[in-house]
Short mmCIF file of all heavy atoms in Angstrom, two decimals:
data_model
loop_
_atom_site.label_atom_id
_atom_site.label_comp_id
_atom_site.label_asym_id
_atom_site.label_seq_id
_atom_site.Cartn_x
_atom_site.Cartn_y
_atom_site.Cartn_z
N MET P 1081 31.80 25.45 41.84
CA MET P 1081 32.16 26.17 40.64
C MET P 1081 31.25 25.71 39.52
O MET P 1081 30.92 24.55 39.42
CB MET P 1081 33.63 25.92 40.27
CG MET P 1081 34.08 26.75 39.10
SD MET P 1081 35.79 26.48 38.57
CE MET P 1081 36.72 26.53 40.06
N GLU P 1082 30.91 26.63 38.66
CA GLU P 1082 30.03 26.36 37.54
C GLU P 1082 30.69 26.87 36.26
O GLU P 1082 31.30 27.94 36.27
CB GLU P 1082 28.72 27.13 37.76
CG GLU P 1082 27.51 26.49 37.19
CD GLU P 1082 26.27 27.27 37.59
OE1 GLU P 1082 25.97 27.31 38.79
OE2 GLU P 1082 25.65 27.83 36.70
N TYR P 1083 30.60 26.14 35.17
CA TYR P 1083 31.17 26.57 33.91
C TYR P 1083 30.07 26.87 32.92
O TYR P 1083 29.02 26.24 32.94
CB TYR P 1083 32.05 25.48 33.29
CG TYR P 1083 33.26 25.16 34.10
CD1 TYR P 1083 33.25 24.12 35.01
CD2 TYR P 1083 34.42 25.89 33.93
CE1 TYR P 1083 34.37 23.81 35.76
CE2 TYR P 1083 35.56 25.59 34.67
CZ TYR P 1083 35.52 24.55 35.58
OH TYR P 1083 36.64 24.25 36.31
N THR P 1084 30.31 27.82 32.04
CA THR P 1084 29.41 28.06 30.93
C THR P 1084 30.08 27.52 29.67
O THR P 1084 31.27 27.26 29.67
CB THR P 1084 29.10 29.57 30.79
OG1 THR P 1084 30.33 30.27 30.64
CG2 THR P 1084 28.37 30.08 32.01
N ALA P 1085 29.34 27.38 28.58
CA ALA P 1085 29.86 26.74 27.38
C ALA P 1085 31.15 27.38 26.88
O ALA P 1085 32.17 26.73 26.77
CB ALA P 1085 28.80 26.74 26.30
N ASP P 1086 31.11 28.65 26.53
CA ASP P 1086 32.28 29.34 25.99
C ASP P 1086 32.73 30.48 26.88
O ASP P 1086 33.59 31.26 26.50
CB ASP P 1086 31.97 29.93 24.61
CG ASP P 1086 31.66 28.86 23.61
OD1 ASP P 1086 32.13 27.73 23.79
OD2 ASP P 1086 30.94 29.15 22.66
N GLY P 1087 32.13 30.58 28.03
CA GLY P 1087 32.36 31.77 28.84
C GLY P 1087 33.11 31.49 30.12
O GLY P 1087 34.00 30.65 30.16
N PRO P 1088 32.75 32.22 31.15
CA PRO P 1088 33.51 32.19 32.39
C PRO P 1088 33.19 31.02 33.30
O PRO P 1088 32.21 30.31 33.11
CB PRO P 1088 33.06 33.50 33.05
CG PRO P 1088 31.66 33.67 32.60
CD PRO P 1088 31.63 33.16 31.19
N ALA P 1089 34.05 30.84 34.30
CA ALA P 1089 33.75 29.96 35.42
C ALA P 1089 33.13 30.84 36.50
O ALA P 1089 33.64 31.93 36.79
CB ALA P 1089 35.03 29.32 35.94
N LEU P 1090 32.04 30.40 37.06
CA LEU P 1090 31.32 31.17 38.07
C LEU P 1090 31.63 30.59 39.44
O LEU P 1090 31.42 29.40 39.67
CB LEU P 1090 29.82 31.13 37.79
CG LEU P 1090 29.41 31.62 36.41
CD1 LEU P 1090 27.91 31.45 36.21
CD2 LEU P 1090 29.83 33.06 36.19
N ILE P 1091 32.14 31.45 40.33
CA ILE P 1091 32.48 31.00 41.67
C ILE P 1091 31.85 31.94 42.69
O ILE P 1091 31.57 33.10 42.38
CB ILE P 1091 34.01 30.94 41.91
CG1 ILE P 1091 34.65 32.31 41.73
CG2 ILE P 1091 34.65 29.92 40.97
CD1 ILE P 1091 36.12 32.35 42.12
N GLU P 1092 31.64 31.44 43.88
CA GLU P 1092 31.07 32.26 44.94
C GLU P 1092 32.08 33.29 45.41
O GLU P 1092 33.26 32.98 45.58
CB GLU P 1092 30.67 31.40 46.13
CG GLU P 1092 29.39 30.64 45.92
CD GLU P 1092 28.94 29.91 47.18
OE1 GLU P 1092 29.14 30.44 48.28
OE2 GLU P 1092 28.43 28.80 47.03
N GLY P 1093 31.65 34.52 45.56
CA GLY P 1093 32.49 35.58 46.09
C GLY P 1093 32.13 35.86 47.52
O GLY P 1093 31.20 35.24 48.07
N PRO P 1094 32.79 36.79 48.15
CA PRO P 1094 33.90 37.56 47.59
C PRO P 1094 35.16 36.71 47.47
O PRO P 1094 35.30 35.69 48.13
CB PRO P 1094 34.09 38.69 48.62
CG PRO P 1094 33.56 38.14 49.89
CD PRO P 1094 32.47 37.18 49.52
N VAL P 1095 36.06 37.16 46.55
CA VAL P 1095 37.30 36.42 46.32
C VAL P 1095 38.49 37.38 46.32
O VAL P 1095 38.35 38.58 46.09
CB VAL P 1095 37.28 35.67 44.97
CG1 VAL P 1095 36.23 34.58 44.96
CG2 VAL P 1095 37.09 36.61 43.82
N GLU P 1096 39.64 36.81 46.59
CA GLU P 1096 40.91 37.52 46.49
C GLU P 1096 41.82 36.60 45.68
O GLU P 1096 42.16 35.50 46.13
CB GLU P 1096 41.48 37.78 47.88
CG GLU P 1096 42.73 38.62 47.88
CD GLU P 1096 43.17 38.98 49.29
OE1 GLU P 1096 42.61 39.94 49.86
OE2 GLU P 1096 44.04 38.26 49.83
N LEU P 1097 42.20 37.03 44.49
CA LEU P 1097 42.99 36.21 43.57
C LEU P 1097 44.43 36.71 43.56
O LEU P 1097 44.68 37.88 43.29
CB LEU P 1097 42.40 36.29 42.16
CG LEU P 1097 40.92 35.90 42.05
CD1 LEU P 1097 40.37 36.31 40.70
CD2 LEU P 1097 40.75 34.41 42.27
N HIS P 1098 45.37 35.85 43.83
CA HIS P 1098 46.79 36.18 43.80
C HIS P 1098 47.36 35.72 42.47
O HIS P 1098 47.44 34.51 42.21
CB HIS P 1098 47.52 35.53 44.99
CG HIS P 1098 47.04 36.06 46.29
ND1 HIS P 1098 47.73 37.00 47.01
CD2 HIS P 1098 45.91 35.81 47.01
CE1 HIS P 1098 47.07 37.31 48.11
NE2 HIS P 1098 45.95 36.59 48.13
N MET P 1099 47.74 36.67 41.64
CA MET P 1099 48.18 36.37 40.30
C MET P 1099 49.67 36.06 40.27
O MET P 1099 50.43 36.49 41.15
CB MET P 1099 47.88 37.57 39.38
CG MET P 1099 46.40 37.98 39.40
SD MET P 1099 45.31 36.64 38.92
CE MET P 1099 45.77 36.47 37.20
N PRO P 1100 50.12 35.32 39.24
CA PRO P 1100 51.55 34.96 39.14
C PRO P 1100 52.46 36.17 39.09
O PRO P 1100 53.62 36.10 39.50
CB PRO P 1100 51.62 34.17 37.82
CG PRO P 1100 50.25 33.66 37.61
CD PRO P 1100 49.31 34.68 38.21
N ASP P 1101 51.97 37.31 38.57
CA ASP P 1101 52.80 38.51 38.48
C ASP P 1101 52.80 39.33 39.77
O ASP P 1101 53.37 40.41 39.82
CB ASP P 1101 52.35 39.39 37.31
CG ASP P 1101 50.93 39.93 37.47
OD1 ASP P 1101 50.29 39.68 38.52
OD2 ASP P 1101 50.45 40.61 36.54
N GLY P 1102 52.16 38.82 40.80
CA GLY P 1102 52.16 39.48 42.10
C GLY P 1102 50.94 40.35 42.37
O GLY P 1102 50.74 40.79 43.50
N ARG P 1103 50.14 40.60 41.32
CA ARG P 1103 48.93 41.39 41.53
C ARG P 1103 47.94 40.62 42.40
O ARG P 1103 47.90 39.39 42.37
CB ARG P 1103 48.21 41.70 40.21
CG ARG P 1103 48.89 42.68 39.34
CD ARG P 1103 48.05 42.98 38.10
NE ARG P 1103 47.69 41.75 37.38
CZ ARG P 1103 46.47 41.54 36.88
NH1 ARG P 1103 45.51 42.43 36.99
NH2 ARG P 1103 46.21 40.41 36.23
N VAL P 1104 47.15 41.37 43.16
CA VAL P 1104 46.06 40.78 43.92
C VAL P 1104 44.77 41.39 43.39
O VAL P 1104 44.63 42.62 43.37
CB VAL P 1104 46.20 41.04 45.43
CG1 VAL P 1104 45.01 40.46 46.18
CG2 VAL P 1104 47.50 40.44 45.95
N VAL P 1105 43.88 40.56 42.89
CA VAL P 1105 42.62 41.01 42.32
C VAL P 1105 41.52 40.63 43.29
O VAL P 1105 41.39 39.47 43.67
CB VAL P 1105 42.37 40.37 40.94
CG1 VAL P 1105 41.03 40.79 40.36
CG2 VAL P 1105 43.51 40.71 39.99
N ARG P 1106 40.72 41.62 43.69
CA ARG P 1106 39.64 41.37 44.64
C ARG P 1106 38.29 41.64 43.99
O ARG P 1106 38.15 42.55 43.18
CB ARG P 1106 39.79 42.29 45.85
CG ARG P 1106 41.01 42.00 46.67
CD ARG P 1106 41.08 42.90 47.89
NE ARG P 1106 42.26 42.61 48.68
CZ ARG P 1106 43.47 43.13 48.48
NH1 ARG P 1106 43.63 44.00 47.50
NH2 ARG P 1106 44.49 42.79 49.23
N SER P 1107 37.32 40.86 44.35
CA SER P 1107 35.95 41.12 43.93
C SER P 1107 35.04 40.84 45.11
O SER P 1107 35.15 39.79 45.75
CB SER P 1107 35.56 40.23 42.74
OG SER P 1107 34.19 40.45 42.43
N ASP P 1108 34.16 41.77 45.39
CA ASP P 1108 33.21 41.62 46.49
C ASP P 1108 31.85 41.10 46.04
O ASP P 1108 30.93 40.98 46.84
CB ASP P 1108 33.01 42.97 47.20
CG ASP P 1108 34.26 43.41 47.93
OD1 ASP P 1108 35.04 42.54 48.36
OD2 ASP P 1108 34.48 44.63 48.05
N ARG P 1109 31.74 40.77 44.75
CA ARG P 1109 30.46 40.27 44.24
C ARG P 1109 30.14 38.91 44.87
O ARG P 1109 31.04 38.15 45.20
CB ARG P 1109 30.51 40.12 42.73
CG ARG P 1109 30.62 41.45 42.03
CD ARG P 1109 30.62 41.27 40.56
NE ARG P 1109 30.62 42.57 39.91
CZ ARG P 1109 30.17 42.77 38.69
NH1 ARG P 1109 29.72 41.76 37.97
NH2 ARG P 1109 30.19 43.98 38.18
N PHE P 1110 28.86 38.61 44.98
CA PHE P 1110 28.47 37.31 45.57
C PHE P 1110 28.68 36.18 44.57
O PHE P 1110 28.82 35.02 44.95
CB PHE P 1110 27.02 37.34 46.07
CG PHE P 1110 25.99 37.33 44.99
CD1 PHE P 1110 25.46 36.12 44.55
CD2 PHE P 1110 25.55 38.50 44.42
CE1 PHE P 1110 24.50 36.10 43.55
CE2 PHE P 1110 24.60 38.49 43.42
CZ PHE P 1110 24.08 37.29 42.98
N LEU P 1111 28.73 36.52 43.28
CA LEU P 1111 29.04 35.55 42.24
C LEU P 1111 30.08 36.20 41.32
O LEU P 1111 29.83 37.27 40.75
CB LEU P 1111 27.79 35.17 41.45
CG LEU P 1111 27.94 34.01 40.49
CD1 LEU P 1111 28.29 32.71 41.24
CD2 LEU P 1111 26.66 33.82 39.69
N VAL P 1112 31.23 35.56 41.18
CA VAL P 1112 32.34 36.14 40.42
C VAL P 1112 32.56 35.32 39.16
O VAL P 1112 32.60 34.08 39.21
CB VAL P 1112 33.63 36.15 41.28
CG1 VAL P 1112 34.79 36.74 40.50
CG2 VAL P 1112 33.40 36.93 42.57
N ALA P 1113 32.70 36.00 38.02
CA ALA P 1113 32.93 35.33 36.74
C ALA P 1113 34.41 35.41 36.39
O ALA P 1113 34.94 36.49 36.13
CB ALA P 1113 32.08 35.99 35.65
N LEU P 1114 35.06 34.25 36.40
CA LEU P 1114 36.49 34.18 36.05
C LEU P 1114 36.63 33.91 34.56
O LEU P 1114 36.01 32.97 34.04
CB LEU P 1114 37.18 33.08 36.84
CG LEU P 1114 37.20 33.21 38.35
CD1 LEU P 1114 37.92 32.02 38.96
CD2 LEU P 1114 37.87 34.51 38.76
N CYS P 1115 37.45 34.69 33.90
CA CYS P 1115 37.65 34.54 32.46
C CYS P 1115 38.45 33.28 32.17
O CYS P 1115 39.55 33.09 32.69
CB CYS P 1115 38.38 35.76 31.91
SG CYS P 1115 38.79 35.62 30.17
N LEU P 1116 37.89 32.43 31.29
CA LEU P 1116 38.61 31.23 30.84
C LEU P 1116 39.09 31.36 29.41
O LEU P 1116 39.92 30.58 28.96
CB LEU P 1116 37.70 30.00 30.96
CG LEU P 1116 37.23 29.65 32.37
CD1 LEU P 1116 36.35 28.41 32.34
CD2 LEU P 1116 38.40 29.46 33.31
N CYS P 1117 38.58 32.36 28.68
CA CYS P 1117 38.97 32.51 27.28
C CYS P 1117 40.20 33.39 27.12
O CYS P 1117 40.79 33.42 26.04
CB CYS P 1117 37.81 33.10 26.47
SG CYS P 1117 37.53 34.87 26.74
N ARG P 1118 40.58 34.11 28.15
CA ARG P 1118 41.76 35.00 28.18
C ARG P 1118 41.63 36.18 27.22
O ARG P 1118 42.61 36.78 26.82
CB ARG P 1118 43.05 34.22 27.88
CG ARG P 1118 43.40 33.27 29.00
CD ARG P 1118 44.78 32.69 28.82
NE ARG P 1118 45.22 32.06 30.06
CZ ARG P 1118 46.07 32.62 30.90
NH1 ARG P 1118 46.57 33.80 30.66
NH2 ARG P 1118 46.42 32.00 32.01
N ARG P 1119 40.41 36.54 26.83
CA ARG P 1119 40.20 37.70 25.96
C ARG P 1119 39.78 38.92 26.75
O ARG P 1119 39.67 40.00 26.19
CB ARG P 1119 39.15 37.38 24.91
CG ARG P 1119 39.54 36.27 23.98
CD ARG P 1119 38.43 36.01 22.96
NE ARG P 1119 38.72 34.80 22.23
CZ ARG P 1119 37.85 33.80 22.08
NH1 ARG P 1119 36.65 33.90 22.59
NH2 ARG P 1119 38.19 32.73 21.42
N SER P 1120 39.53 38.77 28.04
CA SER P 1120 39.04 39.86 28.85
C SER P 1120 40.10 40.95 29.04
O SER P 1120 41.25 40.66 29.33
CB SER P 1120 38.61 39.34 30.23
OG SER P 1120 38.25 40.41 31.07
N ALA P 1121 39.69 42.21 28.87
CA ALA P 1121 40.58 43.34 29.16
C ALA P 1121 40.73 43.50 30.66
O ALA P 1121 41.60 44.24 31.11
CB ALA P 1121 40.01 44.61 28.54
N ASN P 1122 39.90 42.82 31.41
CA ASN P 1122 39.93 42.89 32.87
C ASN P 1122 40.33 41.53 33.46
O ASN P 1122 39.91 41.16 34.56
CB ASN P 1122 38.54 43.30 33.38
CG ASN P 1122 38.56 43.75 34.81
OD1 ASN P 1122 39.58 44.23 35.30
ND2 ASN P 1122 37.44 43.59 35.50
N TYR P 1123 41.14 40.77 32.71
CA TYR P 1123 41.57 39.43 33.14
C TYR P 1123 42.22 39.50 34.51
O TYR P 1123 42.97 40.43 34.78
CB TYR P 1123 42.56 38.86 32.11
CG TYR P 1123 42.93 37.44 32.37
CD1 TYR P 1123 42.13 36.41 31.92
CD2 TYR P 1123 44.07 37.13 33.11
CE1 TYR P 1123 42.45 35.09 32.17
CE2 TYR P 1123 44.40 35.81 33.37
CZ TYR P 1123 43.59 34.80 32.90
OH TYR P 1123 43.91 33.50 33.17
N PRO P 1124 41.91 38.63 35.44
CA PRO P 1124 41.25 37.34 35.30
C PRO P 1124 39.73 37.38 35.45
O PRO P 1124 39.11 36.32 35.52
CB PRO P 1124 41.87 36.54 36.45
CG PRO P 1124 42.06 37.56 37.52
CD PRO P 1124 42.47 38.82 36.79
N LEU P 1125 39.15 38.57 35.51
CA LEU P 1125 37.70 38.66 35.62
C LEU P 1125 37.09 38.79 34.22
O LEU P 1125 37.63 39.48 33.35
CB LEU P 1125 37.31 39.86 36.48
CG LEU P 1125 37.91 39.87 37.89
CD1 LEU P 1125 37.53 41.15 38.62
CD2 LEU P 1125 37.48 38.65 38.69
N CYS P 1126 35.99 38.14 34.00
CA CYS P 1126 35.30 38.18 32.71
C CYS P 1126 34.71 39.57 32.48
O CYS P 1126 34.11 40.15 33.38
CB CYS P 1126 34.18 37.13 32.72
SG CYS P 1126 33.11 37.18 31.27
N ASP P 1127 34.91 40.10 31.26
CA ASP P 1127 34.26 41.36 30.88
C ASP P 1127 33.29 41.15 29.72
O ASP P 1127 32.92 42.10 29.04
CB ASP P 1127 35.31 42.42 30.54
CG ASP P 1127 36.05 42.12 29.25
OD1 ASP P 1127 35.83 41.04 28.66
OD2 ASP P 1127 36.87 42.96 28.83
N THR P 1128 32.90 39.94 29.48
CA THR P 1128 31.97 39.48 28.43
C THR P 1128 32.59 39.54 27.02
O THR P 1128 31.87 39.41 26.05
CB THR P 1128 30.61 40.23 28.43
OG1 THR P 1128 30.80 41.58 28.00
CG2 THR P 1128 29.97 40.18 29.81
N SER P 1129 33.88 39.72 26.91
CA SER P 1129 34.52 39.72 25.59
C SER P 1129 34.32 38.39 24.88
O SER P 1129 34.34 38.33 23.64
CB SER P 1129 36.02 39.98 25.72
OG SER P 1129 36.25 41.30 26.14
N HIS P 1130 34.13 37.32 25.62
CA HIS P 1130 33.92 36.02 24.99
C HIS P 1130 32.70 36.02 24.09
O HIS P 1130 32.64 35.30 23.11
CB HIS P 1130 33.79 34.91 26.05
CG HIS P 1130 32.63 35.10 26.96
ND1 HIS P 1130 32.70 35.85 28.12
CD2 HIS P 1130 31.36 34.67 26.87
CE1 HIS P 1130 31.53 35.85 28.71
NE2 HIS P 1130 30.69 35.14 27.98
N ARG P 1131 31.72 36.87 24.37
CA ARG P 1131 30.51 36.93 23.56
C ARG P 1131 30.79 37.53 22.19
O ARG P 1131 30.21 37.12 21.20
CB ARG P 1131 29.45 37.79 24.25
CG ARG P 1131 28.95 37.21 25.53
CD ARG P 1131 27.93 38.14 26.14
NE ARG P 1131 27.55 37.68 27.45
CZ ARG P 1131 26.96 38.44 28.35
NH1 ARG P 1131 26.67 39.70 28.07
NH2 ARG P 1131 26.65 37.96 29.53
N ARG P 1132 31.64 38.53 22.14
CA ARG P 1132 31.91 39.24 20.89
C ARG P 1132 32.77 38.43 19.93
O ARG P 1132 32.79 38.70 18.75
CB ARG P 1132 32.60 40.57 21.18
CG ARG P 1132 31.69 41.57 21.84
CD ARG P 1132 32.35 42.93 21.91
NE ARG P 1132 33.49 42.97 22.81
CZ ARG P 1132 33.41 43.17 24.12
NH1 ARG P 1132 32.23 43.37 24.69
NH2 ARG P 1132 34.49 43.19 24.86
N THR P 1133 33.46 37.43 20.42
CA THR P 1133 34.40 36.70 19.57
C THR P 1133 33.89 35.31 19.23
O THR P 1133 34.59 34.55 18.60
CB THR P 1133 35.76 36.58 20.27
OG1 THR P 1133 35.58 36.01 21.54
CG2 THR P 1133 36.40 37.94 20.42
N ARG P 1134 32.67 35.03 19.65
CA ARG P 1134 32.11 33.70 19.35
C ARG P 1134 31.85 33.57 17.85
O ARG P 1134 31.30 34.47 17.21
CB ARG P 1134 30.80 33.52 20.12
CG ARG P 1134 30.28 32.09 20.05
CD ARG P 1134 29.08 31.91 20.93
NE ARG P 1134 29.46 32.09 22.32
CZ ARG P 1134 28.59 32.34 23.29
NH1 ARG P 1134 27.32 32.47 23.03
NH2 ARG P 1134 29.01 32.49 24.54
N ARG P 1135 32.23 32.49 17.26
CA ARG P 1135 32.05 32.27 15.82
C ARG P 1135 30.69 31.68 15.53
O ARG P 1135 30.14 30.94 16.31
CB ARG P 1135 33.13 31.34 15.28
CG ARG P 1135 34.49 31.93 15.35
CD ARG P 1135 35.51 31.00 14.76
NE ARG P 1135 36.83 31.60 14.89
CZ ARG P 1135 37.94 30.95 14.67
NH1 ARG P 1135 37.92 29.70 14.32
NH2 ARG P 1135 39.10 31.55 14.82
N GLN P 1136 30.17 32.03 14.36
CA GLN P 1136 28.91 31.48 13.90
C GLN P 1136 29.14 30.09 13.34
O GLN P 1136 30.12 29.83 12.65
CB GLN P 1136 28.32 32.37 12.80
CG GLN P 1136 28.00 33.77 13.24
CD GLN P 1136 26.75 33.81 14.12
OE1 GLN P 1136 25.85 32.99 13.94
NE2 GLN P 1136 26.69 34.75 15.05
N ALA P 1137 28.21 29.18 13.62
CA ALA P 1137 28.28 27.84 13.03
C ALA P 1137 27.88 27.93 11.57
O ALA P 1137 27.00 28.72 11.20
CB ALA P 1137 27.37 26.89 13.78
N THR P 1138 28.53 27.15 10.72
CA THR P 1138 28.19 27.22 9.29
C THR P 1138 27.36 26.03 8.87
O THR P 1138 27.34 25.02 9.46
CB THR P 1138 29.44 27.28 8.40
OG1 THR P 1138 30.28 26.17 8.74
CG2 THR P 1138 30.16 28.59 8.61
S1 FES Y 2471 35.26 34.25 29.69
FE1 FES Y 2471 34.31 36.13 29.47
S2 FES Y 2471 35.79 37.40 28.65
FE2 FES Y 2471 36.77 35.50 28.87
#
């Protein structure tokens, strides 16, 4: 597993994720980006929303 600074955790795919609410999320990609910021509209998969909400340093 690989982490990015403010973004997703990158794991080898394909994956099948069993969510607490009973949903099963599948991805056949060879590299899957898991959302760690919880802003993704496609959670638990990253949709790059973390980029839009990053704050500028002052
Ligand atoms: S880590 Fe990318 S949208 Fe959350």
Side-chain angles (χ1 to χ4, degrees):
M1081 185 182 313
E1082 210 175 295
Y1083 295 94
T1084 56
D1086 296 334
L1090 303 177
I1091 61 172
E1092 283 186 36
V1095 295
E1096 185 174 278
L1097 304 167
H1098 295 260
M1099 304 302 293
D1101 63 3
R1103 288 184 306 138
V1104 177
V1105 178
R1106 294 182 179 86
S1107 176
D1108 292 331
R1109 293 182 175 204
F1110 73 92
L1111 190 63
V1112 180
L1114 298 180
C1115 176
L1116 298 180
C1117 75
R1118 292 190 165 258
R1119 297 180 190 129
S1120 174
N1122 195 27
Y1123 187 84
L1125 304 176
C1126 174
D1127 69 355
T1128 70
S1129 292
H1130 61 273
R1131 294 179 187 162
R1132 291 189 292 275
T1133 54
R1134 189 174 295 161
R1135 294 182 182 169
Q1136 297 286 329
T1138 54

